[in-house]
Amino acid sequence: MARGTAFSLFQICNRKSRVSRFRARLLNHYSSHLAQPERSCTSTYYVPVRTFSTRLANLEFYPYNTSGSKHSGGTILYTRSFSSLDDANDDDDDIKDIGVSEADFEYDADAGRPVDFELENGTGTGDDAKEDYNACNLAVLELGKSRNSIEADENAESNQYEAVVSRDPIELYREIRSAPEALDINKEDWDIMQEVFRYFASSGWASNQALGIYIGLSFFPTAVHKFRNFFISKWPSDIINYLVSLGPSDAAVKFLFPIFVEYCLEIFPDEIKRFQSMIVTADLTKPHTWFPFARAMKRKIIYHCGPTNSGKTYNALQRFMEAKNGIYCSPLRLLAMEVFDKVNAHGVYCSLLTGQEKKYVPFSNHVACTVEMASTKELFEVAVIDEIQMMADPYRGYAWTRSLLGLLADEIHLCGDPSVLNIVRRICQETGDELYEKHYDRFKPLVVEAKTLLGDLRNIRSGDCVVAFSRREIFEVKLAIEKHTKHRCCVIYGGLPPETRRLQASLFNDQNNEYDVLVASDAVGMGLNLNIRRVVFNSLSKYNGDKMVPVPASQVKQIAGRAGRRGCLYPDGLTTTLQLDDLDYLIDCLKQPFDEVKKVGLFPFCEQIELFAGKLSDVKFSQLLEKFGESCRLDQLYFMCRHDHIKKIANMLDKVSSLSLEDRFNFCFAPVNVRDPKAMYHLLRFASTYSRNVPVNIAMGMPKGCARNDAELLDLETRHQVLSMYLWLSNHFNEDTFPYVKKAEAMANDIAKLLGQSLAKANWKPESRNNAAKEKTAKTEGRPVGKNGVLLKTVKREYGYTRPQSLIKRYDKYVPQQHGRSLLLELSEEVAA
Ligand SMILES: Nc1ncnc2c1ncn2[C@@H]1O[C@H](COP(=O)(O)OP(=O)(O)OP(=O)(O)O)[C@@H](O)[C@H]1O
């Protein structure tokens, strides 16, 4: 399709009124080779004041005519970006230029779709356009037409519709509205018009542009349907002829859209108002303004930036302990406990605050807490936010963002890798805080052992930590090691209570017992100081809830970095894989620089959700969350954190009546494994008892003793989670309603001990909580399933990633076999270097 070369300038004027007018002025400058006169046309649209455009295709300037370059006129409604960076000033009467930058249009609804009618908006020299134009004409010439005849046709067509396309859409709309009902409708045209409207209703561009006048995505199809009925009932023949000539196409959509806007503004003022107020209340732009007290301070931000085991946290904690008061924000309960112990051991009184426990140490001015519990109301001299890169975590990132934006501390020490450094720089520009950067290197380089374990767990040695990415794998590895070697294994994975993980860690660290190997999940990557000599990856792929995927490089680095920490028994860290095939991937991951994070997480406060709820009537809390997610506006630096698990809880709690919105919101954040039906059942029970305003019972007995099989071990884990949930709820709701805190604590301690004892004995084959579900999925996908629903290993690769070719294989190809061993050593040294 030929491309025209109209050079467009857009100006929007924004009037002061509540429902303001944007004046979109389009000046089309034709390039000389098309020999068209320069012209301009202006039209005015009434649109509400709104500082966003949608996932626009605004950057693409479309003509209204399929014949390409020859038509001009008409206007496109240009609304503004979601970004706050270029907010329109509502109080400004002047006409404002809109600087359209690519960055403002990150989401393009039409991305990937073929654009047939794109006009050039470039420099005006139009070389590309000239080429396209010539190419198109050439193509047509090949079909047997002369250039003159094509031009004559185009001119004739353009003249024919000039009267339609150059008209102001407001006038067009008024004219259509005042026309009498149509009587004479041509069947063939009618069919085409149906297609045109169908195309319009399914246009991503149009539905997104419609957001600019507060026609929501869910209302858009209804609005188009009514517009179609209105349009067809009037049957404006000149416009119909033009649209029929365009057919169901982007050009037709772009022509109809401004008329549709006029129609909507007149016919749906209530819907527009309602959606507008929803949008305003779901505004998550400028989150730094949510914390006015922090903004009133001149804070000093110190970014301790470096890889694992480089002393970042150590240095930040030194400053924390020197200060007259301070707060340490941890990603894990476990790490908060470690810091709590360490700081108190140094003689600095420090309290502990996590979702589940409050340990107040008399006279303490310091507190170690989990990041979600950090107070943005108290003043501190020093705050430490550990693992700051977790701002980008899809689920929990909002807690780090909130702490960075909202902590009232003179000095805030951020510890983390460099992935969020740039984004922190940008945030500091917005908040006005001073940023200082301290860069660190690893104390000792990590060495990759290129010979690997050659697939044989009998090659395991004392001080090794085998990392596996599922509970099943962990127990399989433990079983195999203990059966075929003299080593005994400690176990650490996310499902275990922090107390049990700590006990397992100290058992492993202690040199005076038989436990000399650790088998752990990625939970080992953060928080624990362990005497690990070598990290061995059992595999480098993991199930992401949907399929097997490679473990991200950043996570591989974090885990491998646990080997050989300063001050531990083995200061020279080693890492390798069980299988040779995985080695290349490990090396690639370690060599990769940290990916730069582009966005960090946000989540609304309860008050924001409450405000939003006021705009809707008769919606359940789960629907409210859904609608908030749909309507919220965000700056370019932020994303809304994933809340599928929250919605799942909200959905379940919809059954419980007489819970306030705030209570529902709080219950949704309770720590529960949403995939564990038993734990979910207890949460529902707690919520419904609470809603009756009577004391909530634990109503769960203690197990008789240690677990004798995996099912009993899983049961212990679940029971501990339920107790942990009870304790969490007692800290987040009125304590009188959850009065059995002491009992819950005692039970949780006992179960943690039982878990420890059970793990020491564990020599059974692992089970999975959702064997049946896995089996079903696997069967529907045609994947072979073994006993207990294990997806067979051979298939894992098919569904997972293809392992990169290993060093050995590469070597085998080019070097005679007998030199293999020495080359491996060379490679090992090379990698280490
Ligand atoms: N100056 C120091 N003197 C003594 N020990 C130190 C010093 N710096 C760091 N360490 C010790 O080195 C180990 C690693 O330090 P630290 O935990 O601060 O590293 P990190 O860079 O924060 O790593 P990670 O992100 O993995 O936690 C810790 O055991 C710490 O106590």
Side-chain angles (χ1 to χ4, degrees):
M1 189 55 70
R3 282 164 137 203
T5 54
F7 173 57
S8 311
L9 297 172
F10 297 92
Q11 290 180 307
I12 286 188
C13 95
N14 173 3
R15 292 198 181 165
K16 219 171 195 169
S17 52
R18 283 290 302 147
V19 177
S20 74
R21 288 172 173 211
F22 281 2
R23 170 168 293 188
R25 197 167 64 173
L26 166 62
L27 305 165
N28 290 320
H29 300 267
Y30 291 87
S31 63
S32 55
H33 80 278
L34 290 173
Q36 290 284 341
E38 196 173 273
R39 50 183 298 170
S40 73
C41 73
T42 309
S43 22
T44 310
Y45 302 106
Y46 291 79
V47 294
V49 174
R50 191 173 177 205
T51 56
F52 76 101
S53 83
T54 55
R55 307 165 200 187
L56 294 188
N58 286 22
L59 283 174
E60 291 159 9
F61 306 133
Y62 293 82
Y64 291 123
N65 192 311
T66 50
S67 59
S69 57
K70 301 294 168 92
H71 281 303
S72 71
T75 39
I76 303 173
L77 183 67
Y78 283 79
T79 48
R80 310 251 358 232
S81 160
F82 260 112
S83 161
S84 67
L85 298 176
D86 58 351
D87 269 2
N89 182 352
D90 289 0
D91 296 334
D92 197 347
D93 257 352
D94 301 333
I95 293 178
K96 283 182 178 275
D97 278 342
I98 285 202
V100 184
S101 80
E102 234 172 290
D104 296 340
F105 305 99
E106 209 175 316
Y107 302 105
D108 180 353
D110 284 346
R113 288 174 46 180
V115 178
D116 288 337
F117 314 108
E118 194 174 346
L119 263 180
E120 193 63 46
N121 66 326
T123 57
T125 55
D127 287 346
D128 285 352
K130 209 174 199 170
E131 263 173 35
D132 287 352
Y133 178 81
N134 290 337
C136 172
N137 282 347
L138 217 71
V140 182
L141 281 170
E142 274 170 18
L143 290 174
K145 275 191 163 188
S146 76
R147 180 183 287 266
N148 285 345
S149 72
I150 295 161
E151 282 178 359
D153 285 355
E154 282 180 349
N155 283 337
E157 207 181 319
S158 95
N159 292 336
Q160 189 185 341
Y161 299 121
E162 185 72 33
V164 175
V165 293
S166 61
R167 294 275 303 280
D168 180 349
I170 300 177
E171 274 176 32
L172 277 180
Y173 169 68
R174 286 186 188 149
E175 208 174 282
I176 300 168
R177 190 184 53 182
S178 54
E181 296 280 314
L183 298 171
D184 190 16
I185 295 174
N186 172 335
K187 166 84 175 81
E188 211 173 292
D189 289 352
W190 197 87
D191 286 343
I192 296 174
M193 285 308 293
Q194 294 297 327
E195 289 303 317
V196 168
F197 277 102
R198 219 164 278 151
Y199 194 88
F200 189 94
S202 62
S203 160
W205 180 86
S207 59
N208 280 298
Q209 287 283 11
L211 284 170
I213 53 152
Y214 299 107
I215 295 291
L217 291 180
S218 50
F219 185 63
F220 179 74
T222 314
V224 175
H225 183 73
K226 294 200 170 164
F227 176 57
R228 187 204 71 146
N229 290 349
F230 156 79
F231 199 88
I232 285 180
S233 70
K234 302 290 184 168
W235 203 255
S237 52
D238 49 346
I239 301 175
I240 295 278
N241 289 342
Y242 177 55
L243 284 168
V244 166
S245 80
L246 296 178
S249 60
D250 289 352
V253 171
K254 306 258 144 96
F255 173 77
L256 270 176
F257 188 77
I259 307 173
F260 170 73
V261 167
E262 294 307 318
Y263 173 80
C264 290
L265 293 173
E266 188 168 270
I267 306 298
F268 309 119
D270 293 341
E271 281 81 357
I272 288 174
K273 231 176 173 173
R274 197 171 53 80
F275 191 66
Q276 183 183 13
S277 59
M278 268 169 64
I279 292 282
V280 170
T281 48
D283 187 349
L284 298 185
T285 57
K286 302 196 184 82
H288 60 280
T289 60
W290 303 350
F291 304 96
F293 291 110
R295 292 301 70 78
M297 292 174 76
K298 187 83 188 158
R299 304 180 313 169
K300 203 167 143 185
I301 312 281
I302 301 103
Y303 196 126
H304 301 265
C305 179
T308 53
N309 192 24
S310 54
K312 306 179 299 280
T313 316
Y314 178 91
N315 282 307
L317 283 179
Q318 291 301 111
R319 188 62 201 102
F320 170 75
M321 290 191 283
E322 282 163 23
K324 66 175 189 294
N325 59 19
I327 181 168
Y328 167 81
C329 309
S330 151
L332 301 170
R333 275 176 76 194
L334 190 72
L335 194 53
M337 288 174 183
E338 293 254 327
V339 169
F340 166 75
D341 287 345
K342 198 187 280 180
V343 173
N344 279 304
H346 274 81
V348 177
Y349 297 142
C350 180
S351 295
L352 175 71
L353 179 64
T354 71
Q356 285 81 348
E357 65 248 283
K358 285 180 190 165
K359 278 191 192 165
Y360 177 69
V361 171
F363 311 111
S364 63
N365 294 320
H366 290 71
V367 60
C369 64
T370 39
V371 65
E372 280 87 354
M373 299 298 288
S375 162
T376 54
K377 295 198 174 99
E378 274 174 81
L379 274 170
F380 296 101
E381 187 184 333
V382 168
V384 178
I385 309 177
D386 212 350
E387 308 294 350
I388 187 69
Q389 71 277 0
M390 285 196 69
M391 288 173 96
D393 185 88
Y395 291 94
R396 291 177 66 205
Y398 69 91
W400 276 262
T401 310
R402 172 184 157 277
S403 297
L404 174 60
L405 295 174
L407 278 174
L408 304 182
D410 298 324
E411 269 176 45
I412 301 184
H413 294 256
L414 313 176
C415 307
D417 68 37
S419 58
V420 290
L421 180 57
N422 264 336
I423 223 157
V424 168
R425 284 180 187 146
R426 290 176 68 182
I427 289 175
C428 286
Q429 276 172 4
E430 284 186 349
T431 56
D433 296 318
E434 274 176 88
L435 177 66
Y436 299 84
E437 295 169 20
K438 280 190 163 185
H439 292 268
Y440 294 76
D441 287 324
R442 218 184 123 86
F443 288 128
K444 281 215 169 177
L446 195 63
V447 177
V448 180
E449 276 193 351
K451 63 183 170 204
T452 75
L453 265 60
L454 300 166
D456 193 342
L457 281 172
R458 279 175 298 193
N459 291 328
I460 215 83
R461 278 180 290 168
S462 218
D464 279 350
C465 168
V466 185
V467 177
F469 291 95
S470 74
R471 191 179 172 282
R472 161 176 304 284
E473 263 183 72
I474 289 172
F475 281 101
E476 279 171 355
V477 169
K478 175 178 157 66
L479 194 65
I481 293 174
E482 291 185 344
K483 194 169 171 191
H484 299 290
T485 70
K486 59 180 182 358
H487 302 288
R488 297 296 308 275
C489 302
C490 294
V491 174
I492 292 177
Y493 55 91
L496 293 175
E499 299 85 347
T500 314
R501 277 187 262 169
R502 281 184 99 187
L503 273 174
Q504 292 287 302
S506 49
L507 208 59
F508 172 71
N509 284 340
D510 185 355
Q511 297 303 298
N512 302 317
N513 64 37
E514 53 190 338
Y515 293 94
D516 59 344
V517 170
L518 181 64
V519 187
S521 72
D522 45 0
V524 82
M526 252 189 269
L528 290 162
N529 267 325
L530 294 156
N531 281 327
I532 300 174
R533 187 179 62 87
R534 179 173 67 167
V535 168
V536 180
F537 288 91
N538 187 55
S539 68
L540 279 164
S541 54
K542 66 176 180 180
Y543 190 65
N544 72 352
D546 182 29
K547 56 179 190 280
M548 296 299 290
V549 291
V551 181
S554 56
Q555 207 178 355
V556 172
K557 277 193 215 184
Q558 176 91 19
I559 297 169
R562 306 322 291 178
R565 289 172 75 77
R566 178 170 173 170
C568 92
L569 287 175
Y570 313 101
D572 300 313
L574 301 173
T575 184
T576 190
T577 54
L578 172 68
Q579 307 288 349
L580 264 174
D581 282 358
D582 282 336
L583 189 67
D584 268 4
Y585 183 66
L586 172 65
I587 294 168
D588 280 353
C589 290
L590 297 179
K591 277 200 278 189
Q592 263 180 44
F594 286 96
D595 282 341
E596 193 188 317
V597 162
K598 297 275 184 282
K599 284 172 192 267
V600 293
L602 272 188
F603 202 77
F605 294 129
C606 184
E607 292 80 1
Q608 285 164 308
I609 298 276
E610 273 176 333
L611 212 62
F612 183 72
K615 306 294 168 193
L616 298 165
S617 50
D618 287 341
V619 284
K620 292 179 177 156
F621 186 61
S622 53
Q623 293 166 330
L624 193 66
L625 287 176
E626 183 101 31
K627 286 215 174 293
F628 191 98
E630 274 172 22
S631 323
C632 75
R633 296 164 58 193
L634 293 152
D635 273 357
Q636 286 168 5
L637 295 184
Y638 301 97
F639 65 85
M640 168 107 158
C641 279
R642 282 185 66 172
H643 47 286
D644 344 354
H645 56 303
I646 293 176
K647 273 196 273 182
K648 222 168 177 175
I649 302 173
N651 222 353
M652 180 181 78
L653 295 185
D654 281 342
K655 294 182 203 116
V656 183
S657 53
S658 60
L659 272 180
S660 72
L661 191 143
E662 191 186 351
D663 288 341
R664 281 181 200 281
F665 190 84
N666 281 337
F667 269 108
C668 284
F669 282 88
V672 62
N673 177 357
V674 291
R675 281 170 299 158
D676 185 344
K678 273 191 210 159
M680 287 292 267
Y681 158 76
H682 283 286
L683 179 60
L684 180 62
R685 190 171 57 76
F686 291 155
S688 65
T689 316
Y690 175 87
S691 74
R692 281 182 270 120
N693 207 15
V694 288
V696 180
N697 277 315
I698 299 172
M700 192 183 68
M702 274 296 285
K704 287 192 189 85
C706 289
R708 286 161 301 172
N709 53 43
D710 203 45
E712 287 184 4
L713 190 74
L714 277 170
D715 182 59
L716 281 179
E717 286 174 26
T718 300
R719 278 171 200 265
H720 194 280
Q721 277 170 23
V722 172
L723 292 164
S724 165
M725 190 160 71
Y726 188 93
L727 291 170
W728 189 94
L729 292 170
S730 75
N731 279 335
H732 288 77
F733 290 89
N734 185 352
E735 273 178 33
D736 297 343
T737 339
F738 292 88
Y740 306 106
V741 174
K742 287 272 171 281
K743 187 178 167 198
E745 277 172 357
M747 284 172 74
N749 276 338
D750 290 346
I751 294 184
K753 276 184 207 147
L754 282 178
L755 272 164
Q757 290 161 12
S758 309
L759 289 174
K761 291 183 197 161
N763 60 353
W764 51 73
K765 285 218 162 157
E767 271 190 24
S768 133
R769 276 204 172 87
N770 44 6
N771 268 347
K774 256 196 189 163
E775 202 168 324
K776 197 173 154 200
T777 330
K779 273 180 187 159
T780 51
E781 286 178 359
R783 298 160 65 181
V785 181
K787 266 190 202 165
N788 297 330
V790 190
L791 302 179
L792 292 184
K793 257 207 157 139
T794 46
V795 185
K796 192 176 86 176
R797 283 197 205 163
E798 244 174 66
Y799 282 80
Y801 71 108
T802 333
R803 285 178 165 138
Q805 201 185 20
S806 74
L807 286 176
I808 294 287
K809 279 185 189 158
R810 232 164 42 197
Y811 163 74
D812 280 348
K813 257 189 187 172
Y814 308 109
V815 187
Q817 195 61 47
Q818 63 270 31
H819 296 132
R821 206 171 162 71
S822 63
L823 185 89
L824 277 178
L825 287 173
E826 273 171 37
L827 282 171
S828 175
E829 279 158 19
E830 190 188 301
V831 169

